[in-house]
Amino acid sequence: MQISGTTKLLGLIGTPVGHSRSPQMYNYCFQKFNQDFVYLAFDVALEDVGKAVQAIKTLNIRGANVTMPLKNAVIPFLDHVSMAAQAIGAVNTIVNEGGVLTGHNTDGVGYTLNLKSGGVAVKGKKMTLIGAGGAASAIMTQCALEGIREISVFNIKDGFWPRAKANLEAVRKAVPHIKLALYDLSDKELLKEEVRSSDILSNATRVGMAPHDNISIADGMEDMLHSGLAVADTVYNPVETKFLMQARSAGCRIFDGLGMLLFQGAEAYRLYTGAMMPVDEIRNVLYR
Ligand code: NAD
C-alpha cells in the first residue's frame, strides 16, 4: 500500500499510547484489503483534549479511537454522542462525517459481538454482571439495548457504588421493561443464587488481571458455575484468566476479554470504513 495525497488519516488519542496494539491492527487490515487509510497513535494530555478534537476537524482526520484519560473529557467538544456513549458517559471512537464529529462507545457492542461469535445472543437472557466501572457500564447498556431480560449487578462497596446506582437508573430510563438490581459483592450466598439462575456470567472488574492473575472473582464459589452458563471475562491480560479456567472446568462456554477487545475494534473499523474486520484472522496473526 502506498501513502498518497488521497490517503485518509485515523488515529488514537490519549496518554500513554505507546503500548497500544491498535496501529498494528488497523494498518494490517488497511494493507491487506488495500484501503487508503493510515492509522497513527497520538500522545495527547488531558489539558490538550479540546485542541486535539479541533485538529480532527481542521485536518479532516476520518476519526480517532479515544483512550484514557480522555474518554469522558472529549464529550463536551463533540457535535453528537451516540445513545450508548451517552448512557455509559464515555466515548472510545470519534467519527468525522464532513466536519461533524460523533462520539461512539464500541465496548458494549464488542462484548455482545464476542458472545454472538460463539452463538450466544443476549436477547431474553438473564445475566449476572460483576463490576460497575467503565467496562461494566458499557456491557449493561448494550445488553439492555439488545433486549436482555434481567441483569443482576454485583460490586464491592467502593467508590464505584454511587456511580453504579446512577448507571442502573440511566439504563432503566432508556429501557423501562428491563429487570435490574444492584447487590453487594460481599453477599456470596446471593451471588451464588443469582448465578445459578443466570444464562450469562460476566467479570467486568480488574480481578484476575496480571500481575495478580492467580486470583479469580469466583474463588471459593466454583460450585455456582453450571454447564448451562456462558462465562465472559473483560480481562485480556492474561487471555485465559483463572476465572475462565474455572468456568471451563465446570463445563461452561467461555468468552475471553481479547475477543471483546478485537470486536470493539472491529466495530470502530466498520464505523470508519464501512467494512468488516476479519477478527479471527487478526486474532491469529497479531495475537498468537
Ligand atoms: P474501572 O476502573 O472503570 O472499574 C473497575 C471495577 O473493578 C469496579 O467495578 C471496581 O469496583 C471493581 N474492583 C476493583 N477492585 C476490586 C476487587 N478487589 N474486588 C472486586 N471488584 C473490584 O475499570 P474498567 O475500565 O471497567 O476495566 C475493568 C477490566 O475490564 C480491566 O481488566 C480492563 O482491562 C478490562 N476492559 C476490557 C475491555 C475489552 O475490550 N476486553 C474493555 C474495557 C475494559
Side-chain angles (χ1 to χ4, degrees), residues 107 131-136 155-156 158 160 185 204-207 209 217 234-236 257 260-261 264:
D107 280 343
N155 207 69
I156 54 175
D158 63 356
F160 285 91
L185 185 58
T205 72
R206 293 172 180 276
V207 177
M209 205 166 129
I217 205 79
T234 56
V235 173
Y236 52 85
M260 175 179 166
L261 186 70
Q264 71 76 28

Side-chain angles (χ1 to χ4, degrees), residues 35 43 106 119 159 181 187 205 208 218 244 264 269 287:
Q35 286 176 304
D43 202 296
T106 62
D187 192 340
T205 72
L244 290 182
Q264 71 76 28
Y269 184 84
Y287 293 92

Side-chain angles (χ1 to χ4, degrees), residues 68 71 92 106-107 110-111 130-139 154-161 163 185 203-209 215 217 233-237 256-265:
M68 295 310 284
K71 286 185 169 190
N92 72 354
T106 62
D107 280 343
Y111 174 87
I130 307 177
S137 316
I139 292 169
F154 284 82
N155 207 69
I156 54 175
K157 287 218 164 163
D158 63 356
F160 285 91
W161 188 264
R163 175 180 162 171
L185 185 58
N203 173 40
T205 72
R206 293 172 180 276
V207 177
M209 205 166 129
I215 55 169
I217 205 79
D233 209 336
T234 56
V235 173
Y236 52 85
N237 179 23
D256 62 41
L258 179 57
M260 175 179 166
L261 186 70
L262 288 169
F263 277 107
Q264 71 76 28

Side-chain angles (χ1 to χ4, degrees), residues 6-282:
T6 61
T7 303
K8 291 182 235 27
L9 180 61
L10 287 161
L12 170 68
I13 58 170
T15 188
V17 291
H19 66 287
S20 171
R21 305 288 300 270
S22 294
Q24 205 181 351
M25 177 173 88
Y26 287 102
N27 289 321
Y28 174 88
C29 292
F30 298 149
Q31 293 204 3
K32 168 125 192 171
F33 300 108
N34 208 19
Q35 286 176 304
D36 200 13
F37 288 94
V38 68
Y39 188 105
L40 294 173
F42 299 100
D43 202 296
V44 176
L46 188 55
E47 59 269 26
D48 292 327
V49 62
K51 285 190 265 179
V53 174
Q54 183 54 47
I56 295 175
K57 281 194 186 185
T58 309
L59 302 176
N60 197 21
I61 293 172
R62 172 64 179 138
N65 289 116
V66 184
T67 188
M68 295 310 284
L70 308 184
K71 286 185 169 190
N72 312 101
V74 291
I75 292 177
F77 301 98
L78 301 173
D79 300 303
H80 301 293
V81 177
S82 75
M83 191 178 158
Q86 273 180 42
I88 298 159
V91 161
N92 72 354
T93 305
I94 298 171
V95 179
N96 181 359
E97 296 287 357
V100 178
L101 303 188
T102 302
H104 300 264
N105 191 308
T106 62
D107 280 343
V109 175
Y111 174 87
T112 58
L113 284 176
N114 190 30
L115 258 59
K116 275 180 209 153
S117 75
V120 176
V122 300
K123 193 172 170 38
K125 303 270 169 52
K126 172 173 176 173
M127 174 192 286
T128 296
L129 175 61
I130 307 177
S137 316
I139 292 169
M140 183 167 67
T141 305
Q142 188 61 32
C143 290
L145 293 173
E146 291 188 25
I148 203 163
R149 184 181 86 242
E150 182 174 353
I151 308 178
S152 296
V153 181
F154 284 82
N155 207 69
I156 54 175
K157 287 218 164 163
D158 63 356
F160 285 91
W161 188 264
R163 175 180 162 171
K165 280 179 154 173
N167 282 345
L168 259 70
E169 273 321 302
V171 171
R172 252 188 220 115
K173 225 172 170 181
V175 187
H177 59 269
I178 192 171
K179 195 171 169 202
L180 288 175
L182 175 63
Y183 302 115
D184 187 346
L185 185 58
S186 66
D187 192 340
K188 303 294 179 205
E189 286 313 310
L190 185 57
L191 174 63
K192 286 185 184 184
E193 212 174 285
E194 290 301 306
V195 171
R196 285 187 185 122
S197 61
S198 290
D199 307 289
I200 303 165
L201 169 63
S202 290
N203 173 40
T205 72
R206 293 172 180 276
V207 177
M209 205 166 129
H212 307 292
D213 49 352
N214 58 341
I215 55 169
S216 153
I217 205 79
D219 282 344
M221 295 180 289
E222 292 87 338
D223 58 338
M224 70 185 173
L225 303 169
H226 56 88
S227 61
L229 205 55
V231 174
D233 209 336
T234 56
V235 173
Y236 52 85
N237 179 23
V239 175
E240 181 142 318
T241 57
K242 184 178 179 194
F243 176 54
L244 290 182
M245 287 183 217
Q246 290 164 328
R248 189 197 292 284
S249 301
C252 309
R253 300 173 70 174
I254 63 166
F255 297 87
D256 62 41
L258 179 57
M260 175 179 166
L261 186 70
L262 288 169
F263 277 107
Q264 71 76 28
E267 176 63 4
Y269 184 84
R270 189 187 66 78
L271 291 168
Y272 297 141
T273 67
M276 303 305 285
M277 179 185 276
V279 168
D280 288 342
E281 180 179 336
I282 298 289

